[in-house]
Amino acid sequence: MTSQLRPLTLHDLDLICRQRNDMFRTMDMPEDLIARMAPAFRAWLQDRLSDETYFGFMAELGGQPVGGIGLMEIEFPPHPAHPDTSRRGRILNLFVEPEARGQGIARQLVEASESEFRTRGLTYAVLHAMDMSRPLYEKDGWRGTAEMEKVLIPDRSPATGHLVIAQPDGHPNHYTNWQKQSRT
Amino acid sequence: MTSQLRPLTLHDLDLICRQRNDMFRTMDMPEDLIARMAPAFRAWLQDRLSDETYFGFMAELGGQPVGGIGLMEIEFPPHPAHPDTSRRGRILNLFVEPEARGQGIARQLVEASESEFRTRGLTYAVLHAMDMSRPLYEKDGWRGTAEMEKVLIPDRSPATGHLVIAQPDGHPNHYTNWQKQSRT
């Protein structure tokens, strides 16, 4: 059975938030970090769905949502990959419910997204892939970039000696430790 | 001799453009692609320097510029690495003149940039590293991300059978072929 895709609307706000949290759970992200991110993400998404700078698709099987994907048009300086424009696309929050996997729904969502970008005149796009989705993207012609990241304001936890991130409110951010675990 | 850093100004417009072109030459980017990107980048940078959404530092030795770095504050949905905010930093256009390399100037520019981000309340940053700069960044705590990219609207060149990118004006974009060469 092929899933039906429909454009995202503001009514999908909570569903997208739940899918995103489940996406991070798939990556073994600590629950406290997911919980901490959730309210800021929801507020951000509400604004972005409202002004349609976050768009994309929901996949449905028999009228029930089984997955989704988010898209944005972002600014990046004119670059060899898009030499005439500062516009590029970003894919995010690709998610398919565990029970609906293996039916090509993720691929369907990605292909619809590429097509949507082309329609909007975007000829280059980026995303951050979960390990699980990487083979799908590679088969579709996506390749890794040389992007690097750093969490700033590191401090050493007096208790464990591990690097923790002192946030302005003093609440530690476990992202760096999670990274360490998840990539070794 | 330690280089002196000073903030970028609009007067640095052409110098930054030249440094960026030389940065891409270091990566063996084809000259036609660099030339094609140049006017769009210059127009973009002029706007961004004017409204100070592009900032950063120039490094000088004896009053002469020998390198530079560009910074931006960008929007990205609240994320485990910055759970309370949609603000993150981006470093770009790190460049040191060949005759001034090996004196720690790149490191000085990167450290000043991290400090500038902290001052602005940014606790997470990204960049795209040239192969040459990767060890420097790694030593400073930067690590690779799972970012992937795709050039959309591919078509096959009838002459060579290689993938080329048909731009709206019919001018081919050699980025994909350059990637292939540069990463094998």
Side-chain angles (χ1 to χ4, degrees):
Chain A
M1 185 156 78
T2 309
S3 71
Q4 302 295 313
L5 303 193
R6 61 164 181 80
L8 299 179
T9 76
L10 185 53
H11 294 107
D12 296 311
L13 175 61
D14 286 314
L15 177 55
I16 297 167
C17 289
R18 201 267 296 153
Q19 289 180 341
R20 179 174 168 90
N21 290 349
D22 282 353
M23 176 186 77
F24 283 121
R25 287 187 183 107
T26 309
M27 300 163 75
D28 294 322
M29 186 79 64
E31 282 296 326
D32 59 347
L33 197 45
I34 293 175
R36 176 167 180 173
M37 175 188 56
F41 178 76
R42 189 181 189 283
W44 177 89
L45 182 64
Q46 185 161 27
D47 288 346
R48 294 288 161 269
L49 282 170
S50 298
D51 66 12
E52 299 181 7
T53 51
Y54 185 102
F55 47 102
F57 301 97
M58 201 60 80
E60 297 182 336
L61 278 178
Q64 292 304 308
V66 292
I69 198 164
L71 306 177
M72 300 185 74
E73 179 177 322
I74 59 172
E75 180 181 327
F76 195 98
H79 176 274
H82 45 88
D84 306 315
T85 176
S86 56
R87 301 166 63 220
R88 57 166 64 176
R90 180 190 301 290
I91 290 180
L92 63 169
N93 294 337
L94 171 62
F95 182 75
V96 176
E97 299 293 347
E99 63 275 17
R101 290 179 192 162
Q103 302 176 51
I105 296 172
R107 188 180 183 92
Q108 200 183 345
L109 287 164
V110 171
E111 284 176 357
S113 299
E114 293 178 13
S115 173
E116 179 66 26
F117 282 147
R118 288 187 189 97
T119 302
R120 292 175 185 242
L122 301 174
T123 59
Y124 177 83
V126 293
L127 56 82
H128 290 90
M130 289 198 292
D131 289 349
M132 189 180 162
S133 310
R134 201 169 180 92
L136 163 80
Y137 288 123
E138 282 173 348
K139 212 183 291 179
D140 189 41
W142 293 77
R143 50 184 295 155
T145 76
E147 192 186 56
M148 301 184 83
E149 65 180 348
K150 186 176 179 180
V151 180
L152 307 173
I153 320 189
D155 198 2
R156 286 198 183 270
S157 158
T160 64
H162 291 148
L163 279 178
V164 297
I165 309 311
Q167 295 287 332
D169 62 0
H171 187 126
N173 173 342
H174 300 297
Y175 182 69
T176 307
N177 285 334
W178 167 78
Q179 278 185 311
K180 228 170 268 173
Q181 285 178 346
S182 67
R183 298 194 188 168
T184 50
Chain B
M1 185 156 78
T2 308
S3 70
Q4 302 295 312
L5 303 192
R6 62 164 181 80
L8 298 180
T9 76
L10 185 53
H11 293 106
D12 296 311
L13 176 60
D14 287 312
L15 177 56
I16 297 167
C17 289
R18 201 267 295 156
Q19 288 180 340
R20 178 173 168 90
N21 290 349
D22 281 352
M23 177 186 76
F24 283 120
R25 288 186 183 106
T26 308
M27 301 163 75
D28 294 322
M29 187 79 66
E31 282 295 326
D32 58 347
L33 196 45
I34 294 175
R36 177 170 180 171
M37 175 188 56
F41 178 76
R42 189 181 190 283
W44 176 89
L45 182 63
Q46 185 162 28
D47 288 348
R48 295 288 160 268
L49 282 170
S50 298
D51 67 12
E52 299 181 6
T53 52
Y54 186 103
F55 46 103
F57 302 97
M58 201 62 78
E60 297 182 334
L61 278 180
Q64 291 304 307
V66 293
I69 198 164
L71 306 176
M72 299 185 76
E73 179 178 321
I74 59 172
E75 180 181 326
F76 195 97
H79 176 276
H82 45 88
D84 307 315
T85 176
S86 57
R87 300 167 63 220
R88 56 166 66 174
R90 180 192 299 290
I91 290 181
L92 62 168
N93 293 337
L94 171 62
F95 182 75
V96 176
E97 300 292 346
E99 64 274 16
R101 289 178 192 160
Q103 302 176 53
I105 296 173
R107 188 181 182 91
Q108 200 184 346
L109 286 163
V110 171
E111 285 176 356
S113 299
E114 294 178 12
S115 173
E116 178 66 26
F117 282 146
R118 288 189 188 96
T119 302
R120 293 175 184 240
L122 301 173
T123 59
Y124 177 83
V126 293
L127 57 82
H128 290 90
M130 288 198 292
D131 289 349
M132 190 179 161
S133 309
R134 201 169 181 93
L136 164 79
Y137 288 122
E138 283 173 348
K139 212 182 293 180
D140 190 41
W142 293 76
R143 48 183 298 153
T145 76
E147 191 186 56
M148 300 183 84
E149 65 178 349
K150 186 177 180 181
V151 180
L152 307 172
I153 320 188
D155 197 2
R156 286 202 182 266
S157 158
T160 65
H162 290 148
L163 279 178
V164 296
I165 310 310
Q167 295 287 333
D169 63 0
H171 187 127
N173 174 342
H174 300 297
Y175 182 69
T176 306
N177 284 333
W178 167 77
Q179 279 186 310
K180 225 169 270 173
Q181 284 179 347
S182 67
R183 296 192 190 169
T184 50

